Amino acid sequence: MEDFTQLSGQQLDALKEIGNIGAGNAATALAQMIHTRIDMTVPRVSILPFAQAADLFGGADAHVVGIFLNVRGPAPSSILFVLEAKKAELLIDMLLMYPPGQTNINNLNELEMSALMELGNILSATYLNAMSMFTQLSFIPSVPALAVDMAGAILNAILAQFGEVADHVLLLETVFTKDKEEVVGHFFLLPEPGSLATILKALGVRY
Amino acid sequence: MAKIIPVGMAEIKMASAPDKLMTAGLGSCVGVCIYEKYQKIGIMAHIMLPSSLDAKNKENKAKFADTAIELVIAQMIKKGAHQSRLQAKIAGGAQMFKFSGKSDIMKIGERNTNAVEQNLQKYHIPIIARDTGGNYGRTIIFDLETGNLIVRTIGHGEKII
């Protein structure tokens, strides 16, 4: 088993369920931090060649925000969370309780950047916790790194790390909802070679 | 009518005037453009990794600096260009993410740029213009009529090199 293309429907369902549990916990954690409720769900889980990921945002020169983390442990992986620039502005408004339209992604201040990175921390930690619960494996995320730039540029910087191996990645579409305002984010899990097999084996799903 | 021909990640494409070659969203990757001004033919490679020697799967030669540069020069010569007339312009090799602890992996942009320089030097191809490094992405358009390379960024302006 080398990549995600060979996953069965059942295995995908298991990963989606973990994603939803993670999202639920993330929403709770976020509510405690900002004292207001932002709902989070994972409506769709899919597998795609990472090289095509830029198409999700409208092409390689689309303006996006990327939050990147390394994950150590028995199943080393990476996490990339991507938001379209305009959506990221809206999400920062939600997080910092600004009036809609206040954030300017090209001119983020310290607080706004740290809000985005904290969001990356919370999402990764809660997702990895859910994963740990089901697999009994430990996942240790690094501090997040942030980039605001062209989708292609962000993706190929990461692909250069994985270029040889994990050409396919797992995508959890994550929807944030607050006061009928909706923001869709893209949460990518990029396992290193062998990691996916370790995770699935620990999950008890046959592959 | 001049066409704009897109070059994807880990791809090589050749064209001639009046067409243009374009690659969008270079991050740590390096775009290598080689031009032969008398015949107005040029080639663009979108290189992802410094060396094929460390790779298990080397099937795609366009992916690595060493094999890609060997290939682009061979293709230019096959098309009738003289090796002594070839000139290169390069762009990209940025470091997109900043980590507190700097690992070699995160310096991939710099390693790509160095590998491209070394391999071009090996074939005595001069680099006549460059826009490399930094922490931002680039979209490049290589005009085969003039040999100009247009470099576009988000928030770091546009330039012609």
Side-chain angles (χ1 to χ4, degrees), chain B residues 61-113:
Chain B
K61 290 198 162 96
K63 207 175 198 172
F64 310 99
D66 53 347
T67 45
I69 285 171
E70 189 183 348
L71 193 64
V72 294
I73 292 165
Q75 286 190 15
M76 286 293 278
I77 289 171
K78 202 172 158 194
K79 190 85 184 171
H82 288 278
Q83 188 165 340
S84 61
R85 288 183 184 163
L86 299 181
Q87 292 183 317
K89 293 187 179 181
I90 64 173
Q95 183 175 340
M96 297 304 297
F97 289 96
K98 277 196 184 122
F99 276 97
S100 39
K102 275 189 184 170
S103 74
D104 264 3
I105 280 174
M106 298 318 286
K107 282 187 192 157
I108 192 83
E110 198 181 312
R111 286 167 54 212
N112 277 336
T113 309

Side-chain angles (χ1 to χ4, degrees), chain A residues 1-16 45-47 169-170 191 196-197 199-200 203 205-207:
Chain A
M1 172 108 197
E2 277 304 310
D3 63 45
F4 283 132
T5 49
Q6 302 160 46
L7 288 189
S8 69
Q10 197 194 356
Q11 291 167 331
L12 268 183
D13 281 349
L15 291 168
K16 180 175 166 183
V45 170
S46 50
I47 281 153
V169 297
L170 179 73
L196 185 63
I199 291 169
L200 291 175
L203 273 176
V205 270
R206 285 169 61 97
Y207 61 92

Side-chain angles (χ1 to χ4, degrees), chain B residues 19 46 62 100 112 123 130 138 149 154 158:
Chain B
D19 292 347
H46 184 142
S100 39
N112 277 336
Y123 296 96
R130 59 155 65 217
R138 297 167 171 91
L149 188 64
I154 294 179
E158 175 175 324

Side-chain angles (χ1 to χ4, degrees), chain B residues 17-63:
Chain B
D19 292 347
K20 297 178 169 78
L21 290 161
M22 196 247 329
T23 197
L26 282 169
S28 61
C29 292
V30 176
V32 175
C33 304
I34 295 182
Y35 191 53
E36 213 275 35
K37 63 182 173 189
Y38 300 100
Q39 300 182 61
K40 294 189 177 175
I41 54 176
I43 197 163
M44 185 188 280
H46 184 142
I47 291 168
M48 277 178 70
L49 293 167
S51 169
S52 66
L53 297 175
D54 316 321
K56 284 180 216 105
N57 179 359
K58 337 177 171 215
E59 224 166 87
N60 184 0
K61 290 198 162 96
K63 207 175 198 172

